[in-house]
Structures are given as structure tokens and as C-alpha cells.
């Protein structure tokens, strides 16, 4: 671990959700860019992800305003990147308090602390799932509805309290080291165990975007906010621009790994409100996904030891 | 207190916020209409309003899902009227957890319980303050932003979980017995004490709507939801249709009471984001405010002993 460089001219970024897959990648990217980073994270619990970060000041979010205010006051960030959220493709009633608390309360406290400190720049994280059937707002699930609800609260802080904001709407993200229980991880496990994976018919489109590209997008949004010409708020999407169906994804893995995956398409139904067509939201300006799915998957497979032996 | 009538054919309405000014009026109106009522209220605390209601089954909302589910399961309402909310014209940071909990979490738990029970009819309460400058969405304050955020969550339950809903957006409401610390109450106190009331320039428009008219609107929305032709969701406003400026309001009170109010207009600034022009949202079909401001104020003044002695 290096000494923290205390030079006053470096851009300072406070990141929430820093223990997550995108958060960790982003911290590295920000530092490589020469910026100073801090993380606002929940205190460690037995099951939580490690809170050890290189070159990053860590503040505890104790679920209350004071702890958020302390981070904003002490670190005085130039930009706050709000990645923290509770992601649930489906919820049960018992999840609701945590969904509201993580996806609505935490961000509101953060915006209030920024407003109290005179305003600031905020990068928010949305989801393409706010756009079921490519509607301007039609949530796939309650998770997406809480994201939209938070956008309304963000709009208030932008319009009335001196916050500048960009919301980045994510489609599916992936990359080596991702341990989230998502489709790609299931497929790689199938690859390993040979077990049958029962799936839907597999015609739904997904825009897999590599975590390095996503992190670059967050950095790009921060730069946009730091520019002289930006005012108010905007919403953009970070997506590969190259949708594939789940069937095509499986074929691609098979071709890259030289081994057939034991997938039984059509064995289960689509999820309720499955996004059959990827949402084609306007992309972040000056940003473009650079890592093709083929390249990104190949890297994942190679590093995981699943790569083609040829 | 009468015996509860247990006849099975009466429409059953579960009301939240029943201890409030509109809630109490609505319970009376529903019962006069021959409907059966229940209230889902917080357990009594030292400072809470009385929880005693005529002919109304009372369920405790203990801040969790189970208590909400119990009310929905046991009472099996035909319609839920969700009036409960934390109203704050201005907030301080310490208010945020309660704003989120009252205006976002409680309603979400209620919708989830209804969805779990197979769907249902929901009358939601919005505010004209979601429409600063008559915008389609521009919140006057954080209170209004939480109302808009809840609308997004309601949209999910309507679109995906079998709920039918009408949101009624209220402008200012008033009537005899109102103890909320609002402008009219301040004016009546000035009338009584003769103290100077320092006010803004007073050119802002308000559509005062009498609580009896408002309660009739909630009843009307419930009837609309119970009709065969209603599906999905809708949003309407309950407003008098007869805006007055604050200056005109003061003149009206002076004329009705025969006494000059000691108001100093222009002594203070307008509130931040003061609504200068009343929002002219589409009114609830088949509903019209019937009590003119003159008539309603006269009744308030007479009953309060402030009436003109002539």
C-alpha cells in the first residue's frame, strides 16, 4: 500500500458501493487516472465483502445522516459516484425494507449532505430495467422501480439544491473476478461440472458490457460533470451497443472454450417481464465500449482456466 | 359506539392516515355511504392523535410487513385508501428517514400485501406540489419528490402485480376542526390575538378545497375503481377550480368576519420555490368542489366563534 498523495490539486472522488465488482474496478481506474479516492461503505459484517482498498480513505456508512455528512465534510469530494444499491431480479416481501433503505434512503442522505455542503457533482447508477418494452418508464421489477423513484429524488436536488448529476443506466456487466450469481457465472459452472442447466428459450437480447468499459464510463461521466459546460442533469446508458441473445452467448462460450455446454433451452419459462429486446438508450457522450464480448469472454475463460487449449 | 354491521355485501374500505383531518372526515363519509371501514394506523404514542373511531376496525401498523399483511388478510378490503403521509413544507436532514419511511416504505408494504392477496384497488394521495411551475414533474420540495417516487413504485404494482390505482393530487385543503399548522390557522390566530402576522407579498395562488369535497373525491375515486370499466391507473386532481391569492384570502376573511387582520404583506420573502400559480391538473371525473371558499370559511369562522356578529 502506497502513502496517500496529499497534493491538493488532484480530483477527489467519493465512491459508494466500492466493495462491489464495479466499485473495485472503478477505484483502480480512478487512481490510474491520477485521482484521489475515498469509499463510503457499510461497516464490515461477517458476510460482507472485504473493505480493504489500496490508496483509498474509508468512511463508515452507519445507516444515518451523520455518518454520510462526515464523509462529505472530511473528504470534500469533487465528485460522488453512487454505485451502492441492493440488486434483486425478484424480491420477496421481506426484502422491501432493505430495498427502500439501500436504493432510496442512502442516496437521499448523500444528496442532502452534498446540498448542505453547497452542492456538488453526483454520478448516479440506473438500470436498463427501468425501460421494460423500451418504454420511457416501465419497470421490470421492484428494484427498477426504486431506481426510478430515486431519480425523482435526485431531480429535486438538481433542480432545487445545487447538485449536478449524471445517471448512467447499466445493462448487464461482466468481467473476470465477478462473483455475482448471474447467468455467466452459472454457465461457467456448468462448463466445469457438466451438469445440465435448464434455461428459458434463450431468445432474449442482452448487451453485455465489460466492467473495464463500465468503469471508464463512470470516469467519463465524472469528467463531463467537472467540465465547465455541464449544468443540470442528464441520463445516459452504458451498453455495448452489440446485443446478443442468450443462445448466441452460449454458442460464443462454446466456440471460445472448444467445449459444448450442457444447456437445455426451453426447459423453463422466461422470467416474468423478461426484457426480450435490449433497451437502446442514448449512450454517454465520448464513450464507447471497447472490449468486445468475444475478447472479454476469452479473457474470463483464460484467467479462469476454462480457455481453449489449442 | 355502535355494533359493527357484519353484512357481507357492504363495500369494505381500509384507510391509512385515518387519524388525520382528511382521514377522519373520509371515514364518516364512507360510513354515511353505507360502506364498512377499517383503519391501519400506527400504535398510539404520547403525542399521537386519538385512535378512537366510530364503527371502524383498527389495525396496528407496526412498521413492518407482517402488520400490514394482517390488516389486508383479515379485513379483505375492496378498496384501500392511502392517505398516510409525512407532510413537510420544508425538511431538515434529520427528517429524511421518516420521510422515506412514511412516504415510500409504508405504501410499498401495503401494495405488496395487496399484490400477495391477488391484487386490489388503491386510492393514492399525491400533491399539486409535484408540479412546480406547472411542469409535468418538478417537485417543490423533498416531500413532493417522495410522493413522485412512490408513484413510480405504484406504477410497478399496477403494471406487474394486478393493482388498479387512482392517484388524487391535492391542493390546499381546509375545514372546521383542522388543527394542522397551516396558513389559515395562522390567520385565525392573528384574528384572535391581534398580533402582527408578517407575510410574503401574498400574490401566490392557492386552490383551497373544503375537506368535505376532498372526502367526496376519495369516495368518488373508490367508486370509479369499483366500476367495471376501470383498468390500470389514473391520476386526477382534487381542487376547487377557483384559485385565490393569499391577499384575496385575507380580504375574504376580513369581509366575512367584519374585522381587519393585522397582516403585514411583503415583510418576508416568498418561500423557496413558492407555487405562484396553482397547478391546473385534470380533475377527477364526476366530481366538482361544491363548497365555495366563502361558504367554507364562513362555516369555519362561525363554528370557531370568529363569525361576523351582525
Amino acid at each position: 500500500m502506497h502513502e496517500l498523495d496529499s497534493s491538493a490539486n488532484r480530483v477527489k472522488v467519493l465512491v459508494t458501493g466500492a466493495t462491489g465488482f464495479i466499485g473495485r474496478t472503478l477505484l483502480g481506474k480512478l487512481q490510474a487516472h491520477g485521482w484521489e479516492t475515498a469509499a463510503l461503505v457499510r461497516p464490515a459484517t461477517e458476510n460482507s465483502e472485504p473493505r480493504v482498498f489500496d490508496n483509498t480513505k474509508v468512511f463508515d456508512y452507519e445507516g444515518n445522516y451523520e455518518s454520510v455528512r462526515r464523509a462529505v465534510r472530511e473528504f470534500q469530494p469533487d465528485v460522488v459516484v453512487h454505485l451502492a444499491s441492493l440488486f434483486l431480479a425478484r424480491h420477496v416481501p421481506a426484502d422491501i425494507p432493505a430495498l427502500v433503505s439501500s436504493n432510496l434512503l442512502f442516496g437521499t442522505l448523500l444528496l442532502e449532505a452534498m446540498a448542505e455542503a453547497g452542492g456538488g457533482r453526483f454520478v448516479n447508477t440506473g438500470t436498463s430495467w427501468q425501460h421494460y418494452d423500451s418504454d420511457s418508464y416501465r419497470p421490470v421489477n421492484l428494484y427498477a422501480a426504486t431506481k426510478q423513484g430515486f431519480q425523482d429524488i435526485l431531480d429535486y436536488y438538481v433542480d432545487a439544491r445545487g447538485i449536478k448529476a449524471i445517471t448512467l443506466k447499466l445493462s448487464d456487466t461482466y468481467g473476470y473476478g465477478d462473483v455475482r450469481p448471474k447467468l455467466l457465472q452459472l454457465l461457467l459452472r456448468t462448463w466445469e461440472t457438466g451438469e445440465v442447466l435448464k434455461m428459458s428459450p434463450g431468445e432474449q437480447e442482452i448487451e453485455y458490457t465489460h466492467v473495464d468499459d463500465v468503469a471508464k464510463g463512470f470516469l467519463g461521466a465524472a469528467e463531463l460533470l467537472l467540465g465547465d459546460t455541464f449544468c443540470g442533469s442528464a441520463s445516459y446508458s452504458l451498453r455495448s451497443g452489440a446485443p446478443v441473445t442468450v443462445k448466441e452467448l452460449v454458442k460464443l462460450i462454446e466456440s471460445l472454450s472448444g467445449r459444448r455446454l450442457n444447456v437445455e433451452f426451453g426447459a423453463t419459462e422466461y422470467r416474468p417481464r423478461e426484457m426480450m429486446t435490449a433497451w437502446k438508450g442514448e449512450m454517454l457522450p465520448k464513450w464507447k465500449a471497447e472490449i468486445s464480448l468475444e475478447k472479454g469472454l476469452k479473457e474470463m475463460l483464460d484467467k479462469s482456466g476454462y480457455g481453449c487449449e489449442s
Side-chain angles (χ1 to χ4, degrees), chain A:
Chain A
M1 176 140 172
H2 313 271
E3 284 279 306
L4 282 177
D5 179 335
S6 63
S7 76
N9 290 329
R10 291 202 299 160
V11 171
K12 294 195 284 184
V13 184
L14 176 66
V15 177
T16 72
T19 56
F21 181 56
I22 297 171
R24 288 193 172 274
T25 309
L26 177 61
L27 286 181
K29 200 73 76 185
L30 294 170
Q31 290 164 9
H33 198 65
W35 290 4
E36 192 176 337
T37 53
L40 176 57
V41 290
R42 289 176 190 279
T45 59
E46 206 180 329
N47 299 314
S48 60
E49 299 175 79
R51 287 165 26 114
V52 180
F53 308 100
D54 284 342
N55 300 313
T56 296
K57 192 162 169 48
V58 176
F59 293 93
D60 281 335
Y61 170 51
E62 286 154 5
N64 57 32
Y65 183 65
E66 273 317 305
S67 57
V68 175
R69 188 168 177 261
R70 188 181 312 125
V72 171
R73 288 233 164 171
E74 288 185 17
F75 187 62
Q76 299 188 13
D78 298 296
V79 182
V80 172
V81 176
H82 184 45
L83 277 167
S85 91
L86 176 58
F87 167 82
L88 293 171
R90 295 189 189 198
H91 75 276
V92 296
D95 295 322
I96 291 175
L99 269 174
V100 170
S101 174
S102 297
N103 299 352
L104 289 156
L105 177 61
F106 182 21
T108 307
L109 294 173
L110 194 48
L111 289 168
E112 182 75 19
M114 292 171 69
E116 204 190 27
R121 301 172 193 88
F122 190 85
V123 185
N124 181 41
T125 314
T127 168
S128 61
W129 282 356
Q130 289 163 250
H131 304 280
Y132 179 54
D133 250 7
S134 297
D135 212 325
S136 65
Y137 171 55
R138 200 173 169 199
V140 164
N141 49 20
L142 184 57
Y143 162 76
T146 60
K147 285 283 184 189
Q148 184 82 9
F150 181 65
Q151 182 68 52
D152 292 330
I153 287 173
L154 177 55
D155 288 349
Y156 159 74
Y157 282 95
V158 167
D159 198 37
R161 305 289 300 280
I163 303 287
K164 296 179 185 187
I166 293 176
T167 295
L168 296 178
K169 289 182 177 164
L170 307 186
S171 57
D172 244 302
T173 55
Y174 75 103
Y176 177 69
D178 192 357
V179 294
R180 297 172 296 177
K182 301 183 99 172
L183 174 61
L184 258 175
Q185 277 59 42
L186 285 180
L187 288 172
L188 294 185
R189 210 178 58 196
T190 300
W191 195 96
E192 202 161 10
T193 63
E195 274 171 26
V196 176
L197 184 61
K198 287 178 191 291
M199 291 192 63
S200 70
E203 301 293 349
Q204 65 272 46
E205 261 183 22
I206 305 181
E207 290 205 15
Y208 277 101
T209 314
H210 193 276
V211 67
D212 285 344
D213 280 326
V214 170
K216 265 189 213 161
F218 277 90
L219 175 63
E223 286 187 313
L224 201 52
L225 283 168
L226 286 160
D228 291 332
T229 56
F230 188 90
C231 63
S233 68
S235 181
Y236 299 112
S237 91
L238 294 183
R239 56 188 177 81
S240 67
V244 293
T245 66
V246 170
K247 268 193 173 156
E248 288 165 349
L249 172 72
V250 168
K251 271 193 197 143
L252 186 54
I253 295 174
E254 289 178 337
S255 126
L256 290 168
S257 66
R259 184 160 157 184
R260 214 188 138 264
L261 290 181
N262 211 348
V263 172
E264 198 181 314
F265 281 112
T268 67
E269 301 280 311
Y270 286 115
R271 277 197 293 222
R273 298 165 81 80
E274 187 81 66
M275 292 276 274
M276 296 306 296
T277 309
W279 181 65
K280 312 289 191 298
E282 185 191 351
M283 294 213 208
L284 177 69
K286 299 183 188 170
W287 176 90
K288 199 174 165 308
E290 285 169 2
I291 301 167
S292 69
L293 183 56
E294 184 164 354
K295 185 180 167 198
L297 278 178
K298 188 166 183 323
E299 177 215 56
M300 265 182 95
L301 291 165
D302 286 346
K303 289 193 181 168
S304 311
Y306 301 148
C308 198
E309 284 162 11
S310 68

